[in-house]
Amino acid sequence: MSLGLRFTKYQAAGNDFILMDARDPATRQKILSLSRAEIAKICDRRFGIGADGLILLLAHPDYDFEMKNYNSDGGECSMCGNGGRSLVHFAQALGLNKKDYRFLATDGPHEAKIEGSLVHLKMQDVPSVVPTPLGATFNTGSPHLIRKVNQLMAIDVVSEGRMIRNSPLFMPGGINVNFIEEIDGQLFIRTYERGVEDETLSCGTGVIAAALTMNEAKGFTSIQARGGMLSVKFEKNGSGFKDIWLIGPAEKTFEGTIN
């Protein structure tokens, strides 16, 4: 595979991504012509660059940019909160310096801003919580299930998460599965992500779902994932939630060319 594509690697609370600037039409066409298998190979941690996903920065006539993202299995995926925050930081590094950003993603328009080391990303409203026999579910840009557990670090997240992700309750698309536990006033989370089909060190849309689960009763705004701390701000809106912001760090780790 001789692509000659420039990439930048980012991590956001341990959730890592391969970012590519595809605003140039020729580059856009070259990347969008990649097969699912080729994208999966690029994301492979042994035979490629290695990441939870690939994200493209595209030009858009009505927004600062457009976000297009793929899971590490090569398939197009729903909104990724940490990926969106990483892409905003990437856009700034490319010279798109703005006080407030507006970009288009798979679930619609988003706003964002950078303050110091933190990237703030506004998410779509969540109209309601849907209870299921396995736990509360939310659509926070991606579908998430929240399960409260004891001894979070002892949970086999991959085995239990995969079983729930593939439950007939959530077919055909499946669902992301988040296990949470409150310890000494701090909320902790571990996430099994569909499309990655493994535990990730953090998941922005999963952290939002966890915050909405707990904040309604206890006012949590910060959540500790295995890869770092993320914060969520929002307003209650009847049976749903609005003005939701995901806040946390995003940093470039390295860059290169894949041939």
Side-chain angles (χ1 to χ4, degrees), residues 3 24 31 38 48 50 55 62 65 71 94 99 134 153 166 169 185 187 191 197 199 203 213 220 227 230 239 250 256:
L3 301 177
D24 173 74
I31 298 174
E38 287 173 324
I55 304 178
D62 301 319
F65 57 86
N71 280 320
L94 291 173
K99 180 180 178 182
L134 296 178
M153 296 313 295
N166 290 301
L169 280 173
L187 189 63
T191 301
E197 306 307 337
E199 180 178 6
C203 172
T213 299
F220 286 107
L230 292 166
S239 61

Side-chain angles (χ1 to χ4, degrees), residues 16 31 78 108 150 157 228:
D16 62 338
I31 298 174
S78 48
N150 296 317
V157 168

Side-chain angles (χ1 to χ4, degrees), residues 129 136 138 146 148 180 208-217 241:
V129 182
F138 301 77
I146 300 293
K148 299 176 184 178
I180 63 172
I208 292 170
L212 300 185
T213 299
M214 302 300 292
N215 261 291
E216 186 173 4
F241 306 87

Side-chain angles (χ1 to χ4, degrees), residues 1 13 26 29 32 64 123 132 137 143 154 217 239 242 247:
M1 183 165 52
Q29 181 58 37
L32 292 180
D64 296 319
M123 306 295 286
T132 77
T137 65
S239 61
K242 65 177 184 177
I247 305 163

Side-chain angles (χ1 to χ4, degrees), residues 8 17-23 27-36 39 43 52-60 63-72 74-88 90-91 103-108 110:
T8 302
F17 308 97
I18 299 160
L19 306 185
M20 292 184 178
D21 181 2
R23 292 174 294 173
T27 303
R28 175 188 177 118
Q29 181 58 37
K30 182 183 286 189
I31 298 174
L32 292 180
S33 68
L34 292 172
S35 69
R36 179 168 181 159
I39 293 172
C43 292
D52 292 327
L54 168 68
I55 304 178
L56 308 183
L57 181 77
L58 303 173
H60 194 285
Y63 295 87
D64 296 319
F65 57 86
E66 181 179 355
M67 171 183 177
K68 188 174 183 65
N69 48 310
Y70 301 85
N71 280 320
S72 61
E76 289 190 50
C77 60
S78 48
M79 180 57 186
C80 176
N82 283 334
R85 294 191 308 98
S86 295
L87 198 64
V88 170
F90 180 55
F103 70 92
L104 187 65
T106 184
D107 63 338
H110 289 266

Side-chain angles (χ1 to χ4, degrees), residues 10 13 35 38 70 74 96 120 125 142 157 166 175 201 240 242:
Y10 262 76
S35 69
E38 287 173 324
Y70 301 85
L96 189 60
H120 301 238
D125 294 349
S142 292
V157 168
N166 290 301
I175 199 164
L201 294 184
K242 65 177 184 177

Side-chain angles (χ1 to χ4, degrees), residues 7-20 45 49-55 80-90 117-119 193 200-204 224-230 246-255:
F7 71 88
T8 302
K9 182 77 181 290
Y10 262 76
Q11 69 86 16
N15 210 182
D16 62 338
F17 308 97
I18 299 160
L19 306 185
M20 292 184 178
R45 296 190 183 279
I49 300 165
D52 292 327
L54 168 68
I55 304 178
C80 176
N82 283 334
R85 294 191 308 98
S86 295
L87 198 64
V88 170
H89 196 285
F90 180 55
S117 63
L118 301 178
V119 182
E193 281 199 56
T200 53
L201 294 184
S202 71
C203 172
Q224 180 67 54
R226 289 183 63 196
M229 185 76 74
L230 292 166
L246 175 66
I247 305 163
E251 73 169 354
K252 171 183 170 181
T253 54
F254 63 91
E255 62 185 357

